[in-house]
PDB file of all heavy atoms in Angstrom:
ATOM      1  N   VAL A 221      86.711  83.550 113.995  1.00  0.00           N
ATOM      2  CA  VAL A 221      87.359  84.802 113.597  1.00  0.00           C
ATOM      3  C   VAL A 221      86.300  85.837 113.273  1.00  0.00           C
ATOM      4  O   VAL A 221      85.204  85.514 112.820  1.00  0.00           O
ATOM      5  CB  VAL A 221      88.287  84.634 112.369  1.00  0.00           C
ATOM      6  CG1 VAL A 221      89.380  83.608 112.646  1.00  0.00           C
ATOM      7  CG2 VAL A 221      87.508  84.264 111.125  1.00  0.00           C
ATOM      8  N   ILE A 222      86.628  87.085 113.562  1.00  0.00           N
ATOM      9  CA  ILE A 222      85.898  88.210 112.996  1.00  0.00           C
ATOM     10  C   ILE A 222      86.692  88.556 111.744  1.00  0.00           C
ATOM     11  O   ILE A 222      87.779  89.117 111.816  1.00  0.00           O
ATOM     12  CB  ILE A 222      85.810  89.376 113.996  1.00  0.00           C
ATOM     13  CG1 ILE A 222      85.093  88.922 115.274  1.00  0.00           C
ATOM     14  CG2 ILE A 222      85.072  90.558 113.356  1.00  0.00           C
ATOM     15  CD1 ILE A 222      85.067  89.948 116.378  1.00  0.00           C
ATOM     16  N   ASN A 223      86.180  88.177 110.631  1.00  0.00           N
ATOM     17  CA  ASN A 223      86.942  88.032 109.391  1.00  0.00           C
ATOM     18  C   ASN A 223      87.848  89.221 109.069  1.00  0.00           C
ATOM     19  O   ASN A 223      87.391  90.346 108.921  1.00  0.00           O
ATOM     20  CB  ASN A 223      85.976  87.787 108.231  1.00  0.00           C
ATOM     21  CG  ASN A 223      86.682  87.327 106.973  1.00  0.00           C
ATOM     22  OD1 ASN A 223      87.763  86.749 107.025  1.00  0.00           O
ATOM     23  ND2 ASN A 223      86.052  87.565 105.831  1.00  0.00           N
ATOM     24  N   ASP A 224      89.140  88.932 108.941  1.00  0.00           N
ATOM     25  CA  ASP A 224      90.139  89.897 108.502  1.00  0.00           C
ATOM     26  C   ASP A 224      90.905  89.239 107.361  1.00  0.00           C
ATOM     27  O   ASP A 224      91.729  88.348 107.593  1.00  0.00           O
ATOM     28  CB  ASP A 224      91.074  90.268 109.651  1.00  0.00           C
ATOM     29  CG  ASP A 224      92.093  91.340 109.267  1.00  0.00           C
ATOM     30  OD1 ASP A 224      92.606  91.295 108.127  1.00  0.00           O
ATOM     31  OD2 ASP A 224      92.404  92.205 110.098  1.00  0.00           O
ATOM     32  N   ARG A 225      90.636  89.642 106.150  1.00  0.00           N
ATOM     33  CA  ARG A 225      91.218  88.975 104.987  1.00  0.00           C
ATOM     34  C   ARG A 225      92.732  89.087 104.948  1.00  0.00           C
ATOM     35  O   ARG A 225      93.411  88.201 104.426  1.00  0.00           O
ATOM     36  CB  ARG A 225      90.597  89.532 103.708  1.00  0.00           C
ATOM     37  CG  ARG A 225      89.132  89.167 103.553  1.00  0.00           C
ATOM     38  CD  ARG A 225      88.496  89.862 102.381  1.00  0.00           C
ATOM     39  NE  ARG A 225      87.079  89.530 102.262  1.00  0.00           N
ATOM     40  CZ  ARG A 225      86.202  90.243 101.570  1.00  0.00           C
ATOM     41  NH1 ARG A 225      86.607  91.335 100.927  1.00  0.00           N
ATOM     42  NH2 ARG A 225      84.937  89.875 101.511  1.00  0.00           N
ATOM     43  N   GLU A 226      93.268  90.172 105.488  1.00  0.00           N
ATOM     44  CA  GLU A 226      94.723  90.324 105.530  1.00  0.00           C
ATOM     45  C   GLU A 226      95.340  89.266 106.432  1.00  0.00           C
ATOM     46  O   GLU A 226      96.366  88.659 106.104  1.00  0.00           O
ATOM     47  CB  GLU A 226      95.091  91.726 106.021  1.00  0.00           C
ATOM     48  CG  GLU A 226      96.575  92.040 105.962  1.00  0.00           C
ATOM     49  CD  GLU A 226      97.108  92.094 104.541  1.00  0.00           C
ATOM     50  OE1 GLU A 226      96.333  92.449 103.630  1.00  0.00           O
ATOM     51  OE2 GLU A 226      98.300  91.767 104.345  1.00  0.00           O
ATOM     52  N   CYS A 227      94.717  89.007 107.572  1.00  0.00           N
ATOM     53  CA  CYS A 227      95.221  87.989 108.503  1.00  0.00           C
ATOM     54  C   CYS A 227      95.014  86.580 107.974  1.00  0.00           C
ATOM     55  O   CYS A 227      95.673  85.639 108.445  1.00  0.00           O
ATOM     56  CB  CYS A 227      94.539  88.139 109.860  1.00  0.00           C
ATOM     57  SG  CYS A 227      95.015  89.618 110.780  1.00  0.00           S
ATOM     58  N   GLU A 228      94.107  86.404 107.026  1.00  0.00           N
ATOM     59  CA  GLU A 228      93.824  85.071 106.490  1.00  0.00           C
ATOM     60  C   GLU A 228      94.682  84.726 105.269  1.00  0.00           C
ATOM     61  O   GLU A 228      94.555  83.629 104.724  1.00  0.00           O
ATOM     62  CB  GLU A 228      92.344  84.960 106.131  1.00  0.00           C
ATOM     63  CG  GLU A 228      91.406  85.044 107.321  1.00  0.00           C
ATOM     64  CD  GLU A 228      91.556  83.888 108.301  1.00  0.00           C
ATOM     65  OE1 GLU A 228      92.003  82.802 107.885  1.00  0.00           O
ATOM     66  OE2 GLU A 228      91.231  84.076 109.485  1.00  0.00           O
ATOM     67  N   LYS A 229      95.551  85.619 104.857  1.00  0.00           N
ATOM     68  CA  LYS A 229      96.472  85.289 103.767  1.00  0.00           C
ATOM     69  C   LYS A 229      97.497  84.277 104.269  1.00  0.00           C
ATOM     70  O   LYS A 229      97.912  84.313 105.427  1.00  0.00           O
ATOM     71  CB  LYS A 229      97.172  86.545 103.248  1.00  0.00           C
ATOM     72  CG  LYS A 229      96.256  87.498 102.493  1.00  0.00           C
ATOM     73  CD  LYS A 229      97.014  88.717 101.995  1.00  0.00           C
ATOM     74  CE  LYS A 229      96.095  89.658 101.232  1.00  0.00           C
ATOM     75  NZ  LYS A 229      96.816  90.876 100.772  1.00  0.00           N
ATOM     76  N   ARG A 230      97.954  83.387 103.391  1.00  0.00           N
ATOM     77  CA  ARG A 230      98.854  82.314 103.793  1.00  0.00           C
ATOM     78  C   ARG A 230     100.116  82.283 102.934  1.00  0.00           C
ATOM     79  O   ARG A 230     100.052  82.479 101.720  1.00  0.00           O
ATOM     80  CB  ARG A 230      98.164  80.951 103.675  1.00  0.00           C
ATOM     81  CG  ARG A 230      96.940  80.792 104.569  1.00  0.00           C
ATOM     82  CD  ARG A 230      97.341  80.704 106.037  1.00  0.00           C
ATOM     83  NE  ARG A 230      96.183  80.445 106.869  1.00  0.00           N
ATOM     84  CZ  ARG A 230      95.434  81.393 107.426  1.00  0.00           C
ATOM     85  NH1 ARG A 230      95.722  82.671 107.210  1.00  0.00           N
ATOM     86  NH2 ARG A 230      94.392  81.071 108.173  1.00  0.00           N
ATOM     87  N   ILE A 231     101.243  82.012 103.589  1.00  0.00           N
ATOM     88  CA  ILE A 231     102.477  81.733 102.858  1.00  0.00           C
ATOM     89  C   ILE A 231     102.853  80.261 102.981  1.00  0.00           C
ATOM     90  O   ILE A 231     103.779  79.796 102.320  1.00  0.00           O
ATOM     91  CB  ILE A 231     103.646  82.615 103.351  1.00  0.00           C
ATOM     92  CG1 ILE A 231     103.966  82.329 104.826  1.00  0.00           C
ATOM     93  CG2 ILE A 231     103.354  84.079 103.115  1.00  0.00           C
ATOM     94  CD1 ILE A 231     105.256  82.971 105.305  1.00  0.00           C
ATOM     95  N   VAL A 232     102.144  79.511 103.849  1.00  0.00           N
ATOM     96  CA  VAL A 232     102.423  78.081 104.013  1.00  0.00           C
ATOM     97  C   VAL A 232     101.115  77.305 103.932  1.00  0.00           C
ATOM     98  O   VAL A 232     100.028  77.849 104.138  1.00  0.00           O
ATOM     99  CB  VAL A 232     103.116  77.784 105.363  1.00  0.00           C
ATOM    100  CG1 VAL A 232     104.492  78.415 105.413  1.00  0.00           C
ATOM    101  CG2 VAL A 232     102.258  78.217 106.542  1.00  0.00           C
ATOM    102  N   SER A 233     101.231  76.026 103.642  1.00  0.00           N
ATOM    103  CA  SER A 233     100.070  75.139 103.663  1.00  0.00           C
ATOM    104  C   SER A 233     100.007  74.419 105.004  1.00  0.00           C
ATOM    105  O   SER A 233      99.093  74.621 105.794  1.00  0.00           O
ATOM    106  CB  SER A 233     100.123  74.147 102.499  1.00  0.00           C
ATOM    107  OG  SER A 233     101.368  73.483 102.461  1.00  0.00           O
ATOM    108  N   HIS A 234     101.001  73.594 105.311  1.00  0.00           N
ATOM    109  CA  HIS A 234     100.987  72.986 106.641  1.00  0.00           C
ATOM    110  C   HIS A 234     101.451  74.012 107.667  1.00  0.00           C
ATOM    111  O   HIS A 234     102.359  74.791 107.439  1.00  0.00           O
ATOM    112  CB  HIS A 234     101.898  71.761 106.714  1.00  0.00           C
ATOM    113  CG  HIS A 234     101.771  71.060 108.031  1.00  0.00           C
ATOM    114  ND1 HIS A 234     100.772  70.159 108.285  1.00  0.00           N
ATOM    115  CD2 HIS A 234     102.486  71.182 109.176  1.00  0.00           C
ATOM    116  CE1 HIS A 234     100.882  69.734 109.534  1.00  0.00           C
ATOM    117  NE2 HIS A 234     101.915  70.338 110.095  1.00  0.00           N
ATOM    118  N   GLY A 235     100.793  74.003 108.828  1.00  0.00           N
ATOM    119  CA  GLY A 235     101.096  75.001 109.845  1.00  0.00           C
ATOM    120  C   GLY A 235     100.370  76.306 109.599  1.00  0.00           C
ATOM    121  O   GLY A 235     100.679  77.320 110.226  1.00  0.00           O
ATOM    122  N   GLU A 236      99.390  76.289 108.688  1.00  0.00           N
ATOM    123  CA  GLU A 236      98.706  77.524 108.349  1.00  0.00           C
ATOM    124  C   GLU A 236      97.922  78.089 109.530  1.00  0.00           C
ATOM    125  O   GLU A 236      97.689  79.290 109.607  1.00  0.00           O
ATOM    126  CB  GLU A 236      97.803  77.334 107.132  1.00  0.00           C
ATOM    127  CG  GLU A 236      96.750  76.255 107.242  1.00  0.00           C
ATOM    128  CD  GLU A 236      95.517  76.713 107.980  1.00  0.00           C
ATOM    129  OE1 GLU A 236      95.250  77.926 107.980  1.00  0.00           O
ATOM    130  OE2 GLU A 236      94.835  75.868 108.575  1.00  0.00           O
ATOM    131  N   ASP A 237      97.519  77.231 110.489  1.00  0.00           N
ATOM    132  CA  ASP A 237      96.827  77.769 111.654  1.00  0.00           C
ATOM    133  C   ASP A 237      97.798  78.446 112.627  1.00  0.00           C
ATOM    134  O   ASP A 237      97.412  79.359 113.362  1.00  0.00           O
ATOM    135  CB  ASP A 237      95.974  76.709 112.358  1.00  0.00           C
ATOM    136  CG  ASP A 237      96.687  75.390 112.565  1.00  0.00           C
ATOM    137  OD1 ASP A 237      97.882  75.274 112.230  1.00  0.00           O
ATOM    138  OD2 ASP A 237      96.037  74.451 113.065  1.00  0.00           O
ATOM    139  N   TYR A 238      99.067  78.017 112.626  1.00  0.00           N
ATOM    140  CA  TYR A 238     100.086  78.769 113.358  1.00  0.00           C
ATOM    141  C   TYR A 238     100.226  80.167 112.746  1.00  0.00           C
ATOM    142  O   TYR A 238     100.359  81.167 113.459  1.00  0.00           O
ATOM    143  CB  TYR A 238     101.433  78.053 113.310  1.00  0.00           C
ATOM    144  CG  TYR A 238     101.537  76.865 114.229  1.00  0.00           C
ATOM    145  CD1 TYR A 238     101.202  75.592 113.780  1.00  0.00           C
ATOM    146  CD2 TYR A 238     101.973  77.009 115.542  1.00  0.00           C
ATOM    147  CE1 TYR A 238     101.291  74.489 114.620  1.00  0.00           C
ATOM    148  CE2 TYR A 238     102.069  75.917 116.391  1.00  0.00           C
ATOM    149  CZ  TYR A 238     101.719  74.649 115.928  1.00  0.00           C
ATOM    150  OH  TYR A 238     101.805  73.564 116.763  1.00  0.00           O
ATOM    151  N   GLU A 239     100.202  80.201 111.427  1.00  0.00           N
ATOM    152  CA  GLU A 239     100.326  81.486 110.736  1.00  0.00           C
ATOM    153  C   GLU A 239      99.144  82.393 111.063  1.00  0.00           C
ATOM    154  O   GLU A 239      99.320  83.596 111.315  1.00  0.00           O
ATOM    155  CB  GLU A 239     100.433  81.263 109.227  1.00  0.00           C
ATOM    156  CG  GLU A 239     100.703  82.534 108.446  1.00  0.00           C
ATOM    157  CD  GLU A 239     100.893  82.277 106.956  1.00  0.00           C
ATOM    158  OE1 GLU A 239     100.746  81.114 106.500  1.00  0.00           O
ATOM    159  OE2 GLU A 239     101.185  83.254 106.245  1.00  0.00           O
ATOM    160  N   ARG A 240      97.923  81.837 111.054  1.00  0.00           N
ATOM    161  CA  ARG A 240      96.754  82.637 111.414  1.00  0.00           C
ATOM    162  C   ARG A 240      96.908  83.188 112.833  1.00  0.00           C
ATOM    163  O   ARG A 240      96.669  84.380 113.079  1.00  0.00           O
ATOM    164  CB  ARG A 240      95.480  81.805 111.348  1.00  0.00           C
ATOM    165  CG  ARG A 240      94.275  82.596 111.893  1.00  0.00           C
ATOM    166  CD  ARG A 240      93.062  81.752 112.191  1.00  0.00           C
ATOM    167  NE  ARG A 240      92.441  81.285 110.977  1.00  0.00           N
ATOM    168  CZ  ARG A 240      92.354  80.005 110.643  1.00  0.00           C
ATOM    169  NH1 ARG A 240      92.868  79.081 111.431  1.00  0.00           N
ATOM    170  NH2 ARG A 240      91.773  79.652 109.525  1.00  0.00           N
ATOM    171  N   THR A 241      97.308  82.329 113.777  1.00  0.00           N
ATOM    172  CA  THR A 241      97.461  82.757 115.168  1.00  0.00           C
ATOM    173  C   THR A 241      98.406  83.951 115.271  1.00  0.00           C
ATOM    174  O   THR A 241      98.107  84.961 115.918  1.00  0.00           O
ATOM    175  CB  THR A 241      98.000  81.605 116.030  1.00  0.00           C
ATOM    176  OG1 THR A 241      97.132  80.469 115.928  1.00  0.00           O
ATOM    177  CG2 THR A 241      98.105  82.022 117.486  1.00  0.00           C
ATOM    178  N   ILE A 242      99.558  83.822 114.633  1.00  0.00           N
ATOM    179  CA  ILE A 242     100.573  84.878 114.708  1.00  0.00           C
ATOM    180  C   ILE A 242     100.056  86.176 114.101  1.00  0.00           C
ATOM    181  O   ILE A 242     100.231  87.266 114.666  1.00  0.00           O
ATOM    182  CB  ILE A 242     101.871  84.428 114.003  1.00  0.00           C
ATOM    183  CG1 ILE A 242     102.523  83.283 114.790  1.00  0.00           C
ATOM    184  CG2 ILE A 242     102.841  85.591 113.861  1.00  0.00           C
ATOM    185  CD1 ILE A 242     103.660  82.600 114.042  1.00  0.00           C
ATOM    186  N   LYS A 243      99.398  86.089 112.946  1.00  0.00           N
ATOM    187  CA  LYS A 243      98.942  87.298 112.267  1.00  0.00           C
ATOM    188  C   LYS A 243      97.879  88.035 113.069  1.00  0.00           C
ATOM    189  O   LYS A 243      97.922  89.270 113.199  1.00  0.00           O
ATOM    190  CB  LYS A 243      98.425  86.949 110.868  1.00  0.00           C
ATOM    191  CG  LYS A 243      99.533  86.638 109.878  1.00  0.00           C
ATOM    192  CD  LYS A 243      98.988  86.461 108.474  1.00  0.00           C
ATOM    193  CE  LYS A 243     100.123  86.378 107.463  1.00  0.00           C
ATOM    194  NZ  LYS A 243      99.620  86.265 106.080  1.00  0.00           N
ATOM    195  N   TYR A 244      96.904  87.306 113.611  1.00  0.00           N
ATOM    196  CA  TYR A 244      95.882  87.967 114.418  1.00  0.00           C
ATOM    197  C   TYR A 244      96.492  88.513 115.710  1.00  0.00           C
ATOM    198  O   TYR A 244      96.095  89.587 116.189  1.00  0.00           O
ATOM    199  CB  TYR A 244      94.739  87.004 114.736  1.00  0.00           C
ATOM    200  CG  TYR A 244      93.703  86.906 113.637  1.00  0.00           C
ATOM    201  CD1 TYR A 244      93.712  85.845 112.727  1.00  0.00           C
ATOM    202  CD2 TYR A 244      92.697  87.866 113.507  1.00  0.00           C
ATOM    203  CE1 TYR A 244      92.763  85.741 111.726  1.00  0.00           C
ATOM    204  CE2 TYR A 244      91.734  87.770 112.503  1.00  0.00           C
ATOM    205  CZ  TYR A 244      91.775  86.705 111.615  1.00  0.00           C
ATOM    206  OH  TYR A 244      90.824  86.621 110.620  1.00  0.00           O
ATOM    207  N   TYR A 245      97.446  87.801 116.275  1.00  0.00           N
ATOM    208  CA  TYR A 245      98.114  88.267 117.501  1.00  0.00           C
ATOM    209  C   TYR A 245      98.871  89.567 117.244  1.00  0.00           C
ATOM    210  O   TYR A 245      98.767  90.530 118.015  1.00  0.00           O
ATOM    211  CB  TYR A 245      99.065  87.189 118.006  1.00  0.00           C
ATOM    212  CG  TYR A 245      99.955  87.650 119.148  1.00  0.00           C
ATOM    213  CD1 TYR A 245      99.489  87.671 120.451  1.00  0.00           C
ATOM    214  CD2 TYR A 245     101.260  88.069 118.905  1.00  0.00           C
ATOM    215  CE1 TYR A 245     100.300  88.107 121.495  1.00  0.00           C
ATOM    216  CE2 TYR A 245     102.081  88.510 119.934  1.00  0.00           C
ATOM    217  CZ  TYR A 245     101.594  88.518 121.221  1.00  0.00           C
ATOM    218  OH  TYR A 245     102.394  88.959 122.246  1.00  0.00           O
ATOM    219  N   LEU A 246      99.630  89.610 116.170  1.00  0.00           N
ATOM    220  CA  LEU A 246     100.428  90.789 115.876  1.00  0.00           C
ATOM    221  C   LEU A 246      99.545  91.999 115.557  1.00  0.00           C
ATOM    222  O   LEU A 246      99.834  93.120 115.974  1.00  0.00           O
ATOM    223  CB  LEU A 246     101.367  90.516 114.701  1.00  0.00           C
ATOM    224  CG  LEU A 246     102.573  89.619 114.993  1.00  0.00           C
ATOM    225  CD1 LEU A 246     103.319  89.302 113.697  1.00  0.00           C
ATOM    226  CD2 LEU A 246     103.514  90.290 115.994  1.00  0.00           C
ATOM    227  N   LYS A 247      98.463  91.781 114.835  1.00  0.00           N
ATOM    228  CA  LYS A 247      97.631  92.915 114.403  1.00  0.00           C
ATOM    229  C   LYS A 247      96.740  93.438 115.520  1.00  0.00           C
ATOM    230  O   LYS A 247      96.520  94.661 115.629  1.00  0.00           O
ATOM    231  CB  LYS A 247      96.784  92.515 113.201  1.00  0.00           C
ATOM    232  CG  LYS A 247      96.016  93.686 112.592  1.00  0.00           C
ATOM    233  CD  LYS A 247      95.435  93.338 111.241  1.00  0.00           C
ATOM    234  CE  LYS A 247      94.710  94.546 110.634  1.00  0.00           C
ATOM    235  NZ  LYS A 247      94.177  94.247 109.275  1.00  0.00           N
ATOM    236  N   TYR A 248      96.242  92.527 116.384  1.00  0.00           N
ATOM    237  CA  TYR A 248      95.259  92.940 117.381  1.00  0.00           C
ATOM    238  C   TYR A 248      95.752  92.807 118.822  1.00  0.00           C
ATOM    239  O   TYR A 248      94.995  93.066 119.758  1.00  0.00           O
ATOM    240  CB  TYR A 248      93.961  92.153 117.187  1.00  0.00           C
ATOM    241  CG  TYR A 248      93.325  92.450 115.845  1.00  0.00           C
ATOM    242  CD1 TYR A 248      93.449  91.557 114.783  1.00  0.00           C
ATOM    243  CD2 TYR A 248      92.644  93.642 115.623  1.00  0.00           C
ATOM    244  CE1 TYR A 248      92.893  91.839 113.540  1.00  0.00           C
ATOM    245  CE2 TYR A 248      92.083  93.938 114.394  1.00  0.00           C
ATOM    246  CZ  TYR A 248      92.214  93.025 113.350  1.00  0.00           C
ATOM    247  OH  TYR A 248      91.668  93.322 112.121  1.00  0.00           O
ATOM    248  N   GLY A 249      97.007  92.421 119.004  1.00  0.00           N
ATOM    249  CA  GLY A 249      97.591  92.415 120.341  1.00  0.00           C
ATOM    250  C   GLY A 249      97.254  91.220 121.193  1.00  0.00           C
ATOM    251  O   GLY A 249      97.576  91.197 122.393  1.00  0.00           O
ATOM    252  N   GLY A 250      96.642  90.208 120.618  1.00  0.00           N
ATOM    253  CA  GLY A 250      96.331  89.007 121.379  1.00  0.00           C
ATOM    254  C   GLY A 250      95.339  88.120 120.657  1.00  0.00           C
ATOM    255  O   GLY A 250      94.738  88.518 119.643  1.00  0.00           O
ATOM    256  N   VAL A 251      95.177  86.909 121.168  1.00  0.00           N
ATOM    257  CA  VAL A 251      94.164  85.969 120.697  1.00  0.00           C
ATOM    258  C   VAL A 251      93.497  85.349 121.924  1.00  0.00           C
ATOM    259  O   VAL A 251      94.132  85.163 122.969  1.00  0.00           O
ATOM    260  CB  VAL A 251      94.759  84.860 119.795  1.00  0.00           C
ATOM    261  CG1 VAL A 251      95.176  85.408 118.446  1.00  0.00           C
ATOM    262  CG2 VAL A 251      95.941  84.165 120.468  1.00  0.00           C
ATOM    263  N   ILE A 252      92.232  85.040 121.801  1.00  0.00           N
ATOM    264  CA  ILE A 252      91.467  84.448 122.893  1.00  0.00           C
ATOM    265  C   ILE A 252      91.548  82.930 122.807  1.00  0.00           C
ATOM    266  O   ILE A 252      91.251  82.354 121.764  1.00  0.00           O
ATOM    267  CB  ILE A 252      89.980  84.867 122.809  1.00  0.00           C
ATOM    268  CG1 ILE A 252      89.824  86.384 122.775  1.00  0.00           C
ATOM    269  CG2 ILE A 252      89.182  84.233 123.956  1.00  0.00           C
ATOM    270  CD1 ILE A 252      90.156  87.092 124.040  1.00  0.00           C
ATOM    271  N   ARG A 253      91.979  82.282 123.913  1.00  0.00           N
ATOM    272  CA  ARG A 253      91.968  80.814 123.908  1.00  0.00           C
ATOM    273  C   ARG A 253      91.312  80.278 125.170  1.00  0.00           C
ATOM    274  O   ARG A 253      91.706  80.624 126.283  1.00  0.00           O
ATOM    275  CB  ARG A 253      93.376  80.231 123.770  1.00  0.00           C
ATOM    276  CG  ARG A 253      93.327  78.742 123.390  1.00  0.00           C
ATOM    277  CD  ARG A 253      94.686  78.155 123.113  1.00  0.00           C
ATOM    278  NE  ARG A 253      95.391  77.765 124.327  1.00  0.00           N
ATOM    279  CZ  ARG A 253      96.560  77.118 124.351  1.00  0.00           C
ATOM    280  NH1 ARG A 253      97.160  76.845 123.199  1.00  0.00           N
ATOM    281  NH2 ARG A 253      97.149  76.816 125.482  1.00  0.00           N
ATOM    282  N   PHE A 254      90.314  79.419 124.963  1.00  0.00           N
ATOM    283  CA  PHE A 254      89.672  78.711 126.060  1.00  0.00           C
ATOM    284  C   PHE A 254      90.528  77.486 126.393  1.00  0.00           C
ATOM    285  O   PHE A 254      90.482  76.475 125.684  1.00  0.00           O
ATOM    286  CB  PHE A 254      88.260  78.276 125.673  1.00  0.00           C
ATOM    287  CG  PHE A 254      87.308  79.414 125.433  1.00  0.00           C
ATOM    288  CD1 PHE A 254      87.071  79.885 124.148  1.00  0.00           C
ATOM    289  CD2 PHE A 254      86.653  80.029 126.493  1.00  0.00           C
ATOM    290  CE1 PHE A 254      86.196  80.938 123.920  1.00  0.00           C
ATOM    291  CE2 PHE A 254      85.777  81.083 126.275  1.00  0.00           C
ATOM    292  CZ  PHE A 254      85.538  81.548 124.986  1.00  0.00           C
TER     293      PHE A 254
END
């Protein structure tokens, strides 16, 4: 990540990486996946 503290906030413990994915996707219009 290029650190974005707003995107790193969590409302869940399990599935928190799903939450990160969604937040970065919504804010920046996409996520890079190899």
Side-chain angles (χ1 to χ4, degrees):
V221 301
I222 300 174
N223 193 26
D224 183 321
R225 292 173 181 161
E226 186 66 30
C227 290
E228 295 295 335
K229 290 180 180 178
R230 298 290 185 269
I231 62 170
V232 295
S233 52
H234 186 83
E236 57 82 26
D237 46 4
Y238 284 91
E239 186 176 4
R240 173 195 289 116
T241 303
I242 292 169
K243 285 187 171 183
Y244 276 100
Y245 171 82
L246 286 173
K247 187 167 182 178
Y248 297 102
V251 289
I252 305 290
R253 195 174 82 174
F254 295 96

